[in-house]
Amino acid sequence: KWHLKAIQSKAFCCFKQYRFREALALFKEQEQLMGPSAPLAENIGHVCSSLSEYDEAERYFRLATRLLPDGRQHAKNSGGVYLGLGLLLDRRERPREALPILYQALELYVDSCHMSGRFVESSLVAKARMSLGHAHEHAGELSKAEEHMREAVGIFSRTVGEQSPLLAGALGSLGKLRA
């Protein structure tokens, strides 16, 4: 158990340090030791995407969707898998295929905001809305793109504050869309 945790921790460190090849080797080692899981497949998908190995990334993100557990208590983690797959498809110039997957990610993130019996706004919802905005933009649906980006700006403003790079990036994307 501790050996697996050490491999995983080192893999995450390598990923955060942009040492993607090392991170991939470590995640693959973890996969050999424990078998497939949704979180591990998602991690490998993100690393492969960072390495521009898009076919492999898509394969792992799709595997992650098949391995996801059922139940609302997993909504936030499931949202991340769908967001990763949707972003990858949009990056691969397949926005129409990405859109329903990104809407699924948004729905899962919104569900996770209701987990405590009350609604708690989350920047993850804003990230999903920004991703939807970009995919709608790439699909040529500019009014829908603007709607999602405006909503994301408001959520970022309320959840991460006026000085956040997340808000600045969202405002920049909205400004470019309207230019």
Side-chain angles (χ1 to χ4, degrees):
K1 177 182 173 181
W2 292 109
H3 181 69
L4 281 173
K5 284 287 184 193
I7 293 169
Q8 182 183 44
S9 294
K10 187 172 181 185
F12 280 124
C13 287
C14 289
F15 183 80
K16 295 293 185 183
Q17 295 170 341
Y18 301 95
R19 295 166 31 209
F20 300 125
R21 286 273 167 231
E22 289 175 71
L24 182 59
L26 289 163
F27 281 133
K28 293 275 187 146
E29 180 182 349
Q30 183 183 1
E31 182 182 39
Q32 286 178 341
L33 292 170
M34 64 176 271
S37 72
L40 182 56
E42 178 187 5
N43 292 338
I44 293 172
H46 284 299
V47 174
C48 290
S49 184
S50 297
L51 289 166
S52 300
E53 295 175 2
Y54 298 133
D55 288 339
E56 190 74 350
E58 185 173 343
R59 187 172 77 75
Y60 271 98
F61 279 124
R62 290 195 186 279
L63 173 63
T65 65
R66 290 191 303 275
L67 295 173
L68 285 170
D70 291 330
R72 277 188 80 212
Q73 70 271 23
H74 303 289
K76 188 194 259 182
N77 294 339
S78 299
V81 171
Y82 285 101
L83 186 65
L85 178 57
L87 287 168
L88 175 69
L89 294 172
D90 190 42
R91 184 177 301 128
R92 296 188 83 181
E93 299 180 2
R94 293 157 53 191
R96 297 248 180 249
E97 191 178 343
L99 282 166
I101 293 166
L102 292 170
Y103 274 107
Q104 193 166 3
L106 175 62
E107 182 180 328
L108 288 162
Y109 282 144
V110 169
D111 279 354
S112 74
C113 291
H114 294 280
M115 291 304 294
S116 62
R118 59 185 176 87
F119 183 77
V120 179
E121 206 162 34
S122 168
S123 63
L124 292 172
V125 172
K127 288 180 181 182
R129 286 205 176 270
M130 282 305 299
S131 299
L132 278 161
H134 287 297
H136 277 296
E137 178 184 12
H138 300 149
E141 300 167 344
L142 301 185
S143 64
K144 286 184 179 179
E146 183 175 351
E147 176 186 328
H148 284 289
M149 288 182 185
R150 282 187 180 284
E151 187 66 27
V153 164
I155 295 168
F156 279 138
S157 178
R158 292 185 299 275
T159 58
V160 297
E162 298 291 324
Q163 305 300 316
S164 171
L166 292 171
L167 178 59
L171 286 167
S173 292
L174 181 59
K176 287 177 190 172
L177 182 69
R178 299 198 65 213

